[in-house]
Amino acid sequence: MKFSSKVQKCGLSPMRKFHPYAVAARAAGKKIYHLNIGQPDIPTPEACFDAVRNFNYPVLEYAPSPGIPELIDAVRGYYDKIGISLTEGDVLVTTGGSEALQIVCNCILDDGDEIIIPEPFYPNYNTFVCTTGGTIRPLTTTPEEGYFYADRRRIEALINERTRAIMITNPGNPTGVVLSPEEMRMIVDVAKEHNLFLISDEVYREFVYGGEKLASMASFADAADNVVIIDSVSKRFSACGARIGVIISKNAELMAHAMKYCQARLAVATLDQVAAAALYTLPADYFTDVREEYKRRRDTVMAGLAKIPGVVCKCPKGAFYVMAKLPVDNTDSFQQWLLTDFADRGETVMFSPAESFYGTPGRGVDEIRIAYVLKEQDLSRAMELLGKGIAAYNAR
Amino acid sequence: MKFSSKVQKCGLSPMRKFHPYAVAARAAGKKIYHLNIGQPDIPTPEACFDAVRNFNYPVLEYAPSPGIPELIDAVRGYYDKIGISLTEGDVLVTTGGSEALQIVCNCILDDGDEIIIPEPFYPNYNTFVCTTGGTIRPLTTTPEEGYFYADRRRIEALINERTRAIMITNPGNPTGVVLSPEEMRMIVDVAKEHNLFLISDEVYREFVYGGEKLASMASFADAADNVVIIDSVSKRFSACGARIGVIISKNAELMAHAMKYCQARLAVATLDQVAAAALYTLPADYFTDVREEYKRRRDTVMAGLAKIPGVVCKCPKGAFYVMAKLPVDNTDSFQQWLLTDFADRGETVMFSPAESFYGTPGRGVDEIRIAYVLKEQDLSRAMELLGKGIAAYNAR
């Protein structure tokens, strides 16, 4: 039997290969500090579980295809607070930000079409784009420049007649880069001038640590036809397992096409939508403590990295990731070695080797992504283990 | 901005056009009997809600991409009871049967590839196939033959070098056709001989009314590489809003490709998987009462239809739908007229005009699908309304 040429071009998660080594390390009694996954440890607000417990209907029925009105209203209320007015038709509820991305990519990309994405980027963008038959045109950035990408000249150099969209994550995963209002405006202008969609994945919006105002590409009313926002409750409310996201756009034609996908898959899970509606109506000060906690963690990681000779890393302004260039030949081999050959007082550390975050072959081989989703004390120890690991690895 | 040629070929739900008329009819005080949607009214087992209420973890975390082990084990246990032995790797949990279908179609269909599906078929198959770039090759059936499709000669006549799969729903939506063991064997043989996938959508498995043994295409061990089962808790446990389905296959290559999709969308909702695990471990006698209830409803609908002159309809053996040919020019116009111009003691009725269940243009214009998801008394009244409606419509 034959398989689709598109799925054959996609790969399994590059993190899978470390799984058996991690299992073996644990079986051998090693403790592993996990900095490799973006699963927050912050407790999910009780409002989420309360909403589900209080659900009191005899039949767990299909929700409407675009989402339950309570959740759409709650999303609109949240955006209203950051100065963005949405109508009911501007919002489609999806099964996580993942489905939102999948639907949008499928609506706009044809075989051979291109989408510009700054690299390093969230690796699942590969599958979302690749399965449409489209191609990622990576906008290369470097650790030395702090992964800066908001350069009009460099963006425009990648645009050709097959370019359909620019896609960014702001604040950035894996880089933590946060665009300034001027940079946002410039990227919107490029999208408008070249008649491109601007897909802005803003799931980390609240995770900014320099006192920045909460920002969204949806605030540029003059580019309403170009802008598509991807959002999710996963990171914002520490509710990854709810799988609730949204597509937001004022481009009616795009939303009509997206609705075809929403109708075909019938509905998003009912209870999770009820829970998400409760989350979206939490008071805004919920984020204050969470933001402070992550800021302390970022500073702990940066302080730890500063002590390791040869590491290249500028302090990220947002999200909960730090990208760093390490003084090792290959972070993939280094990670495997940390699991198989290294331990300090019975402990070791896992991060994400960064090659899979790049679209350009060969890039990122000496870089890693650190997710700071552990408590400060654990993060300090993990950075200590990283430093000791590098020294021991290079002294082999 | 351009859109994907594939999404442009897909349509919005054909039922949408009746929505404003139904709203207007209700606003005018009309009562509508809804036979147009497959949303069961049977209460969801309390085990589902209890499992969710008892979930007691501080963080609503991502589930593993293939599904939580408890649910995979519960699914395996259920299949074990019908004589089918599955390993952990034979099961992938999906966001409803819908995502299962979407993933499988994307794994096997390329631009220009064909999939054979007996028509009338579940209309969302159109979007699942169309968005891959593939095409449905409909195997036409007729109301006069009771929508019979298990004819080797007719199936083989549709196979060519671009055919990748045969897809069936058994028991059938919208036809209620249930395959005999011999018919199942024959279709498996055709798939094997022509090296095709056999995608068997078995979400209505328990809804058989002639004392048939619960059947699955997965029982043919010699065709393990060909067979792919689509299953779901939606209809079986009256839990449509949980959005929990599965892909089941022993074809390791297919499952590895499907896993790429599962990893890209990260996970299926955690709480719903916990709930579904509780549903799958309900005792088998749960289905006895439900099956009896639906059987009585089917018989009520059939008795009602028998009283209407000119209706062509053979008694369906399974699922909870009846397809019927009506003595009207066009069921689409008739449905609209029932909402705008007809009432009997302030009441009217909605069904699904069947044109959208066909892939061949012009087919099904005088047919309807009736979903018997109302109580018997309401179904009797709805059939009475249908009869009076037909008489009045034809006497205009």
Side-chain angles (χ1 to χ4, degrees):
Chain A
M1 273 92 64
K2 277 196 186 166
F3 293 93
S4 157
S5 60
K6 297 179 186 97
V7 82
Q8 291 189 64
K9 273 186 230 147
C10 300
L12 283 165
S13 162
M15 289 306 293
R16 269 167 66 96
K17 64 182 160 199
F18 299 111
H19 182 69
Y21 300 110
V23 170
R26 269 195 299 269
K30 261 186 222 179
K31 177 177 174 180
I32 303 172
Y33 289 84
H34 283 277
L35 308 176
N36 55 315
I37 40 169
Q39 167 62 61
D41 65 333
I42 305 281
T44 311
E46 269 305 308
C48 169
F49 299 114
D50 286 346
V52 167
R53 283 191 204 107
N54 295 334
F55 182 87
N56 195 17
Y57 295 89
V59 186
L60 187 57
E61 293 192 358
Y62 287 120
S65 295
I68 61 171
E70 298 82 339
L71 177 53
I72 292 175
D73 284 353
V75 170
R76 291 172 63 198
Y78 165 90
Y79 274 87
D80 217 42
K81 283 188 211 156
I82 60 169
I84 293 163
S85 172
L86 301 174
T87 68
E88 196 189 323
D90 299 339
V91 182
L92 286 171
V93 177
T94 56
T95 301
S98 304
E99 194 194 36
L101 286 161
Q102 205 166 28
I103 290 177
V104 171
C105 286
N106 274 291
C107 283
I108 65 172
L109 295 175
D110 247 325
D111 291 33
D113 284 348
E114 294 187 6
I115 179 167
I116 296 170
I117 308 181
E119 68 177 354
F121 54 76
Y122 175 55
N124 288 326
Y125 287 171
N126 274 315
T127 307
F128 297 139
V129 172
C130 193
T131 51
T132 69
T135 308
I136 294 177
R137 195 76 194 268
L139 167 57
T140 304
T141 70
T142 64
E144 288 76 10
E145 290 189 304
Y147 303 101
F148 167 78
Y149 65 88
D151 178 327
R152 177 186 268 264
R153 202 178 37 79
R154 285 195 245 174
I155 298 171
E156 289 192 314
L158 299 175
I159 297 173
N160 62 42
E161 74 284 356
R162 295 313 302 262
T163 310
R164 294 285 169 266
I166 300 167
M167 179 148 79
I168 61 158
T169 325
N170 183 41
N173 170 12
T175 62
V177 168
V178 176
L179 295 174
S180 70
E182 296 72 29
E183 290 169 335
M184 289 173 70
R185 179 72 249 181
M186 179 276 291
I187 294 172
V188 165
D189 287 341
V190 172
K192 274 183 72 177
E193 287 165 29
H194 295 271
N195 210 22
L196 304 176
F197 281 106
L198 172 57
I199 306 169
S200 189
D201 181 343
E202 301 180 355
V203 301
Y204 296 97
R205 183 182 298 121
E206 270 78 10
F207 303 99
V208 285
Y209 309 118
E212 296 91 342
K213 257 188 77 177
L214 296 188
S216 173
M217 287 292 193
S219 60
F220 298 100
D222 62 311
D225 259 4
N226 305 78
V227 171
V228 186
I229 306 296
I230 306 296
D231 208 343
S232 156
V233 303
S234 296
K235 315 295 176 177
R236 186 168 303 155
F237 300 107
S238 210
C240 299
R243 313 307 300 123
I244 296 293
V246 286
I247 302 171
I248 293 173
S249 178
K250 291 187 177 288
N251 183 314
E253 200 178 352
L254 172 70
M255 294 303 262
H257 288 311
M259 179 70 104
K260 298 175 188 176
Y261 277 94
C262 292
Q263 289 185 342
R265 54 64 159 150
L266 302 171
V268 172
T270 305
L271 287 174
D272 299 280
Q273 291 195 67
V274 170
L279 290 172
Y280 263 111
T281 41
L282 282 175
D285 65 3
Y286 160 74
F287 298 109
T288 317
D289 289 351
V290 175
R291 196 177 290 125
E292 281 307 308
E293 172 68 25
Y294 277 114
K295 185 180 181 183
R296 282 192 299 270
R297 292 175 177 190
R298 178 198 64 176
D299 295 341
T300 302
V301 169
M302 291 309 296
L305 288 175
K307 290 182 200 150
I308 307 175
V311 167
V312 178
C313 176
K314 296 207 174 178
C315 184
K317 292 185 173 167
F320 41 66
Y321 306 103
V322 172
M323 280 283 293
K325 182 170 152 180
L326 303 187
V328 300
D329 56 348
N330 182 302
T331 52
D332 221 280
S333 319
F334 175 48
Q335 174 66 85
Q336 189 170 325
W337 179 88
L338 281 173
L339 291 167
T340 54
D341 288 72
F342 174 79
D344 179 69
R345 300 197 321 258
E347 298 181 335
T348 191
V349 62
M350 273 183 91
F351 45 73
S352 299
E355 201 177 350
S356 61
F357 293 90
Y358 282 85
T360 306
R363 286 262 167 192
V365 288
D366 54 358
E367 296 169 51
I368 63 169
R369 187 195 74 172
I370 293 165
Y372 44 95
V373 292
L374 302 179
K375 304 202 184 338
E376 280 177 83
Q377 200 182 336
D378 291 337
L379 287 170
S380 289
R381 172 65 178 149
M383 289 305 105
E384 188 185 16
L385 287 165
L386 181 63
K388 288 186 175 187
I390 291 172
Y393 180 75
N394 286 334
R396 277 168 314 163
Chain B
M1 272 93 64
K2 276 195 187 169
F3 293 93
S4 157
S5 59
K6 297 180 186 94
V7 82
Q8 291 189 65
K9 273 185 230 147
C10 299
L12 283 164
S13 163
M15 290 307 292
R16 270 168 66 98
K17 64 183 157 197
F18 299 111
H19 182 68
Y21 300 108
V23 169
R26 269 195 298 269
K30 262 187 225 180
K31 177 175 173 181
I32 303 172
Y33 289 83
H34 283 277
L35 307 176
N36 55 315
I37 41 168
Q39 167 61 60
D41 65 333
I42 305 281
T44 312
E46 267 305 308
C48 169
F49 299 114
D50 286 345
V52 167
R53 282 190 203 106
N54 295 333
F55 182 87
N56 195 16
Y57 295 90
V59 186
L60 187 57
E61 293 192 358
Y62 287 121
S65 295
I68 61 171
E70 297 84 339
L71 176 53
I72 292 175
D73 283 353
V75 170
R76 292 172 64 197
Y78 164 89
Y79 274 86
D80 218 43
K81 283 188 211 154
I82 59 169
I84 293 163
S85 171
L86 300 174
T87 68
E88 196 189 322
D90 298 339
V91 182
L92 285 171
V93 177
T94 56
T95 301
S98 304
E99 193 194 37
L101 286 161
Q102 204 166 28
I103 290 176
V104 170
C105 286
N106 274 291
C107 283
I108 65 174
L109 295 175
D110 247 324
D111 290 32
D113 284 348
E114 294 186 6
I115 179 166
I116 296 170
I117 309 181
E119 69 178 353
F121 53 76
Y122 175 55
N124 287 325
Y125 288 170
N126 275 316
T127 306
F128 299 139
V129 172
C130 192
T131 51
T132 69
T135 309
I136 294 176
R137 196 74 196 268
L139 167 56
T140 305
T141 69
T142 64
E144 288 76 10
E145 292 189 303
Y147 304 100
F148 167 78
Y149 65 88
D151 179 326
R152 178 187 269 265
R153 203 181 35 80
R154 283 196 245 173
I155 298 171
E156 289 192 313
L158 299 175
I159 297 174
N160 62 42
E161 73 286 354
R162 295 312 302 264
T163 310
R164 295 284 169 265
I166 300 167
M167 180 148 80
I168 60 158
T169 324
N170 182 40
N173 170 13
T175 64
V177 168
V178 176
L179 295 174
S180 71
E182 297 71 31
E183 290 170 336
M184 288 174 70
R185 179 72 250 180
M186 180 276 292
I187 294 172
V188 165
D189 287 342
V190 172
K192 273 183 72 177
E193 286 164 30
H194 295 272
N195 210 23
L196 304 176
F197 282 106
L198 173 56
I199 306 169
S200 189
D201 181 342
E202 302 179 354
V203 302
Y204 296 96
R205 183 182 298 120
E206 270 76 11
F207 303 100
V208 286
Y209 310 118
E212 296 91 342
K213 257 189 75 179
L214 296 188
S216 173
M217 288 290 192
S219 61
F220 300 98
D222 61 310
D225 259 5
N226 305 80
V227 171
V228 187
I229 306 295
I230 306 295
D231 208 344
S232 155
V233 302
S234 297
K235 315 294 175 175
R236 186 166 302 155
F237 301 106
S238 211
C240 299
R243 312 309 300 125
I244 296 292
V246 286
I247 302 170
I248 293 174
S249 179
K250 290 187 178 288
N251 184 314
E253 200 179 350
L254 172 69
M255 294 303 262
H257 288 310
M259 180 70 105
K260 297 175 189 175
Y261 277 94
C262 292
Q263 289 185 342
R265 55 65 158 147
L266 302 171
V268 172
T270 304
L271 287 173
D272 299 280
Q273 291 195 68
V274 170
L279 290 172
Y280 263 111
T281 41
L282 282 175
D285 65 2
Y286 159 74
F287 299 109
T288 318
D289 289 351
V290 175
R291 196 178 290 125
E292 282 307 309
E293 172 68 24
Y294 278 114
K295 187 181 178 181
R296 282 193 298 271
R297 292 176 178 191
R298 179 200 62 176
D299 295 341
T300 302
V301 168
M302 290 308 296
L305 288 175
K307 290 183 200 151
I308 307 174
V311 167
V312 178
C313 176
K314 297 207 172 178
C315 183
K317 292 183 173 169
F320 40 67
Y321 305 103
V322 173
M323 280 282 294
K325 181 170 151 180
L326 304 187
V328 300
D329 56 348
N330 182 302
T331 52
D332 220 280
S333 319
F334 176 47
Q335 174 65 85
Q336 189 171 324
W337 179 87
L338 281 172
L339 291 168
T340 54
D341 288 72
F342 174 79
D344 180 67
R345 300 199 318 260
E347 299 181 335
T348 191
V349 62
M350 273 183 92
F351 45 72
S352 299
E355 200 176 351
S356 62
F357 293 90
Y358 283 84
T360 306
R363 286 261 168 195
V365 288
D366 54 359
E367 295 169 51
I368 63 168
R369 186 194 74 172
I370 293 165
Y372 43 96
V373 291
L374 302 179
K375 303 202 186 336
E376 281 176 82
Q377 199 183 335
D378 291 337
L379 287 170
S380 290
R381 172 65 179 149
M383 290 304 104
E384 188 186 15
L385 287 166
L386 181 64
K388 290 188 174 186
I390 291 172
Y393 180 75
N394 286 334
R396 276 169 312 162

